[in-house]
Amino acid sequence: NKQTFSVTGLNEIHLEQKSGSVYWRLYPPSQTEVESVYAVGKLTVLPAPPPTLLLPAKEAAYFYKNVPPSIRFLWRGNEIASSYLLEVADNPAMTNPKFKKSVTMESLSVPDLTAGNWYWRVTPHYLTAVENEPTASETFSFKIEERNILPEPEALYPQSIADTAN
């Protein structure tokens, strides 16, 4: 996929490139590329999609009777992120987050959230050069409710499958 560009009078050029390696060379227009090369190089473009949020799921609900639960946050990041910023706020605009922490893993438990509606997102951070600001994940919401009577547990599988009485 060889491409040639004339860059007369320019100090830089911007090109759209899919992930992978790109080899380049710069030479004067009066000479062939074999005769006189000014500069050569290679750059690698890596995909850096925003994190995918897993837990708490979108619009999840947590219930407690006396002690608020510890909420586990789990997401799928990307291979080149060096760390992630987890933010939890009480508003969908994520202004003035109640919890904000930079972590190197893709999971964290937070014990200090009280009853209410909560919103969360994750922003990756990179050690390498990034052309644009890192893209944060979408924002998920969940709620924590205090109840005097907790809901009955739900069976997650039919009884006939796991009948071990005998």
Side-chain angles (χ1 to χ4, degrees):
N1 294 336
K2 182 178 177 182
Q3 295 178 328
T4 304
F5 301 94
S6 175
V7 292
T8 304
L10 298 177
N11 292 330
E12 62 183 45
I13 185 169
H14 294 271
L15 303 172
E16 288 288 324
Q17 178 63 38
K18 294 180 180 177
S19 60
S21 295
V22 176
Y23 298 89
W24 61 271
R25 62 182 155 216
L26 181 66
Y27 56 91
S30 61
Q31 309 217 350
T32 66
E33 57 187 284
V34 178
E35 292 174 351
S36 175
V37 175
Y38 280 176
V40 296
K42 172 188 173 186
L43 60 99
T44 303
V45 178
L46 300 171
T52 303
L53 303 183
L54 302 173
L55 290 175
K58 188 180 278 188
E59 299 179 13
Y62 295 88
F63 304 101
Y64 70 96
K65 194 169 183 179
N66 295 322
V67 179
S70 179
I71 305 296
R72 180 175 179 227
F73 293 89
L74 177 68
W75 60 92
R76 184 179 314 115
N78 63 57
E79 294 178 2
I80 60 171
S82 61
S83 64
Y84 301 93
L85 177 65
L86 170 64
E87 297 173 286
V88 182
D90 58 3
N91 61 79
M94 301 298 294
T95 54
N96 298 321
K98 300 295 181 197
F99 181 86
K100 193 175 185 180
K101 185 168 185 178
S102 183
V103 295
T104 57
M105 55 207 140
E106 296 177 0
S107 177
L108 183 69
S109 291
V110 178
D112 301 329
L113 300 176
T114 57
N117 291 321
W118 295 96
Y119 302 86
W120 72 290
R121 72 179 176 195
V122 176
T123 305
H125 292 280
Y126 304 101
L127 294 177
T128 59
V130 177
E131 184 173 314
N132 301 319
E133 281 293 313
T135 305
S137 67
E138 62 180 305
T139 301
F140 274 13
S141 67
F142 65 96
K143 67 180 177 179
I144 301 175
E145 288 184 27
E146 181 177 11
R147 291 189 174 178
N148 290 334
I149 300 172
L150 296 178
E152 289 292 321
E154 292 180 42
L156 298 177
Y157 55 86
Q159 291 295 327
S160 61
I161 292 177
D163 183 8
T164 60
N166 295 323

